[in-house]
């Protein structure tokens, strides 16, 4: 009886971990705002965004379910790429992501068409990655609160 119960427990653990991996919004998500959109939303700072989401549970010492590595271009900055990495946890459909070194954070809401980045408390972007010295801040204020991203091929995030 004990062996059968142990085998059932191990099967349930394997099955639930398989489900958890499928629940993660892994992949590439992008959006590039056209001129008409930016004219209507004059206070929006982000003109394009791409986000690569990778499973972090297999990484040594990771406290996150996944990493959301993102690159953005900012209004008035030309094609200069800014970015950072959100360390994300939560549950399917509602993820909370924090950026290390007091870089703020955001939430991710998923639906059938992609993700929405919800800027709840502001977040840092850097030119040199990590806790870099060349930083900017996307404040959680009107025009910079929500960014809709569509699922894309992985090559779009490389």
């Amino acid at each position: 009886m004990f062996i059968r119960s142990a085998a059932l427990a191990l099967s349930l653990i394997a099955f639930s971990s398989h489900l958890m991996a499928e629940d993660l919004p892994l992949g590439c998500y992008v959006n590039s705002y056209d001129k008409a959109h930016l004219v209507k939303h004059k206070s929006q700072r982000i003109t394009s965004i791409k986000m690569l989401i990778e499973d972090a549970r297999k990484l040594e010492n990771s406290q996150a379910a996944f990493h959301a590595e993102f690159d953005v271009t900012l209004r008035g900055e030309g094609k200069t790429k800014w970015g950072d990495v959100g360390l994300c946890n939560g549950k399917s459909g509602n993820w909370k992501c924090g950026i290390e070194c007091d870089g703020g954070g955001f939430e991710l809401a998923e639906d059938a068409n992609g993700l929405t980045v919800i800027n709840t408390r502001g977040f840092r972007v850097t030119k040199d990655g990590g806790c870099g010295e060349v930083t900017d801040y996307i404040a959680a204020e009107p025009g910079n609160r929500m960014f809709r991203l569509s699922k894309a091929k992985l090559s779009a995030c490389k």
Side-chain angles (χ1 to χ4, degrees), residues 16-76:
S16 66
S17 66
H18 174 72
L19 285 178
M20 288 185 341
E22 288 181 359
D23 286 346
L24 299 179
L26 303 177
C28 177
Y29 299 85
V30 300
N31 197 350
S32 185
Y33 299 96
D34 63 19
K35 196 172 192 174
H37 174 91
L38 294 170
V39 166
K40 285 183 185 178
H41 301 90
K42 293 184 187 323
S43 63
Q44 181 175 327
R45 297 198 54 222
I46 293 176
T47 60
S48 71
I49 183 171
K50 64 181 177 178
M51 183 174 285
L52 178 62
I53 297 180
E54 298 179 301
D55 192 339
R57 294 170 299 162
K58 297 175 186 170
L59 300 175
E60 190 174 326
N61 298 322
S62 179
Q63 299 293 319
F66 62 87
H67 292 170
E69 183 176 344
F70 62 92
D71 288 323
V72 299
T73 53
L74 301 176
R75 191 184 295 249

Side-chain angles (χ1 to χ4, degrees), residues 125-153:
V125 293
T126 68
K127 282 188 183 179
D128 52 0
C131 302
E133 294 183 25
V134 183
T135 66
D136 202 335
Y137 189 74
I138 309 300
E141 53 192 27
N144 295 294
R145 289 201 194 269
M146 297 179 77
F147 304 96
R148 182 84 184 107
L149 306 178
S150 298
K151 185 90 171 177
K153 292 181 180 181

Side-chain angles (χ1 to χ4, degrees), residues 58-99:
K58 297 175 186 170
L59 300 175
E60 190 174 326
N61 298 322
S62 179
Q63 299 293 319
F66 62 87
H67 292 170
E69 183 176 344
F70 62 92
D71 288 323
V72 299
T73 53
L74 301 176
R75 191 184 295 249
E77 293 285 326
K79 293 185 179 186
T80 301
K81 295 290 182 196
W82 295 79
D84 219 311
V85 177
L87 307 176
C88 307
N89 284 300
K91 60 182 180 175
S92 183
N94 185 17
W95 303 96
K96 296 189 183 338
C97 305
I99 299 173

Side-chain angles (χ1 to χ4, degrees), residues 85-126:
V85 177
L87 307 176
C88 307
N89 284 300
K91 60 182 180 175
S92 183
N94 185 17
W95 303 96
K96 296 189 183 338
C97 305
I99 299 173
E100 291 185 316
C101 305
D102 296 324
F106 52 88
E107 294 179 14
L108 293 174
E110 11 173 5
D111 62 33
N113 299 316
L115 295 175
T116 301
V117 176
I118 305 165
N119 185 0
T120 54
R121 55 188 171 139
F123 59 91
R124 178 193 64 230
V125 293
T126 68

